[in-house]
Amino acid sequence: MGDLRSRFLDVYSVLKSELLHDPAFDFTVDSRQWVERMLDHNVPRGKLNRGLCVIDSYKLLKEGKELTDDEFFLACALGWCIEWLQAYFRVLDDITDNIPEDAVKRRGQPCWFKQPKVGLIAANDGTILHNHITRILKKHFREKPYYVDLLDLFNEMEFQTASGKMTDLITSTHVGERDLSTKFSLPLHLRIVQYYKTTYHSPYLSDEYTDCFGAPEVVGKVRYGIILNDSYMTQSGVVAEYESENYGKLVKSIEAHPSKAVQAVLKSFLTKVCNGHE
């Protein structure tokens, strides 16, 4: 895994260089340095399991056949698009959550919008991160027969996740309020978690559960909203139990798929979710 992560990061460096020297925009020295700093702060962070899972999944779909250098690069590039998408949502999420000064850490450092001289410029940086995804896809996948499908897939992920975030925001209480009983319910939580929020681009429940009960120095971030609302933590525990009870149903559904390779991919994801690896 160490070597895979290292090779994956090498592809990040290639993609970043391409974006920083994109001929479609006449960068100034300052603007290029800003974008590079913004990318390095937000994109190659954390475990990178979302992106690495793309490579693992492609290997499973190849059913033991060795990936060519071109196939490996494309799998990495697509994986990085997932990481770029996550960074885009994370930058905007930190702003919209309106978290206080004592809860602004992500992986031991301030959130991007809390960095010196950043502030609400981060909103525009989020737009840049979002736009980078389509530029990466255009450069490396435009000639592929599945190019339009990739664009459609990312558009769908963005729509579902943004809609879920909206549901989350209008349901959440204001800072200082603790009682969610009149607004929050298990069905609503399941709707946010299972059908929206970040489910479409990563298994969300394991993130939510570890955010609730994991130590910040281990999880890598402080989730103020969850800490503030005790009932939210209770809901997440109930949802974790709900997911555990449905594990067998998920396995049966996966095994009903006609392709053994696809079964292997889905079981791999299921294992990662249940073990809290994502």
Side-chain angles (χ1 to χ4, degrees):
M1 177 61 74
D3 181 58
L4 179 61
R5 181 186 173 90
S6 177
R7 294 177 67 191
F8 188 54
L9 287 168
D10 287 342
V11 174
Y12 165 76
S13 297
V14 172
L15 298 175
K16 181 180 74 170
S17 179
E18 291 174 349
L19 291 166
L20 291 175
H21 297 88
D22 191 331
F25 181 73
D26 186 14
F27 283 95
T28 63
V29 173
D30 287 344
S31 62
R32 182 176 285 113
Q33 289 177 348
W34 179 278
V35 173
E36 181 170 21
R37 174 179 166 234
M38 183 269 291
L39 290 177
D40 287 342
H41 182 95
N42 292 295
V43 180
R45 295 292 176 180
K47 300 182 292 290
L48 303 178
N49 281 350
R50 294 174 182 85
L52 292 170
C53 278
V54 176
I55 306 170
D56 291 337
S57 298
Y58 192 33
K59 288 180 177 179
L60 289 171
L61 290 172
K62 292 279 287 184
E63 298 182 301
K65 297 177 183 177
E66 194 71 25
L67 300 187
T68 66
D69 289 343
D70 183 58
E71 288 174 334
F72 182 82
F73 180 89
L74 289 178
C76 288
L78 190 57
W80 277 115
C81 285
I82 299 291
E83 294 293 341
W84 245 273
L85 183 67
Q86 170 69 7
Y88 156 59
F89 283 127
R90 186 166 54 234
V91 166
L92 297 185
D93 188 65
D94 288 339
I95 297 173
T96 56
D97 280 351
N98 195 28
I99 52 181
E101 291 294 332
D102 61 349
V104 296
K105 299 290 185 181
R106 276 197 182 270
R107 310 237 169 243
Q109 60 184 343
C111 302
W112 177 242
F113 85 104
K114 291 292 186 180
Q115 289 284 336
K117 300 181 180 180
V118 177
L120 291 181
I121 297 175
N124 188 69
D125 291 334
T127 302
I128 292 174
L129 287 166
H130 174 261
N131 189 256
H132 280 173
I133 298 168
T134 54
R135 302 200 75 77
I136 293 171
L137 292 175
K138 180 179 179 181
K139 181 173 181 63
H140 296 287
F141 296 92
R142 189 176 186 178
E143 304 303 322
K144 303 296 182 183
Y146 48 83
Y147 174 60
V148 173
D149 294 321
L150 286 179
L151 292 177
D152 184 60
L153 178 61
F154 275 91
N155 283 334
E156 185 67 17
M157 287 191 291
E158 291 159 20
F159 171 73
Q160 295 288 352
T161 306
S163 298
K165 179 61 181 177
M166 177 269 297
T167 306
D168 193 18
L169 286 170
I170 64 176
T171 303
S172 301
T173 57
H174 296 293
V175 173
E177 296 180 11
R178 297 183 64 85
D179 185 13
L180 288 176
S181 59
T182 60
K183 302 177 70 175
F184 211 81
S185 64
L186 180 57
L188 178 60
H189 183 72
L190 288 173
R191 185 176 181 84
I192 294 171
V193 170
Q194 289 185 299
Y195 302 108
Y196 305 117
K197 204 71 187 294
T198 57
T199 303
Y200 267 74
H201 67 281
S202 66
Y204 176 70
L205 180 63
S206 60
D207 278 352
E208 202 73 354
Y209 189 82
T210 54
D211 283 353
C212 280
F213 302 107
E217 62 270 20
V218 176
V219 176
K221 55 189 173 183
V222 177
R223 291 293 295 272
Y224 179 72
I226 292 175
I227 292 174
L228 181 66
N229 297 308
D230 296 333
S231 56
Y232 192 101
M233 294 173 66
T234 302
Q235 295 284 358
S236 291
V238 172
V239 175
E241 182 178 350
Y242 170 86
E243 289 292 325
S244 178
E245 291 174 355
N246 281 273
Y247 177 84
K249 295 179 182 177
L250 289 170
V251 172
K252 275 189 177 180
S253 178
I254 290 170
E255 291 178 344
H257 196 282
S259 170
K260 295 294 184 183
V262 172
Q263 286 185 31
V265 171
L266 295 177
K267 285 183 177 179
S268 174
F269 275 115
L270 183 60
T271 300
K272 287 180 172 66
V273 172
C274 293
N275 291 337
H277 289 167
E278 192 62 28

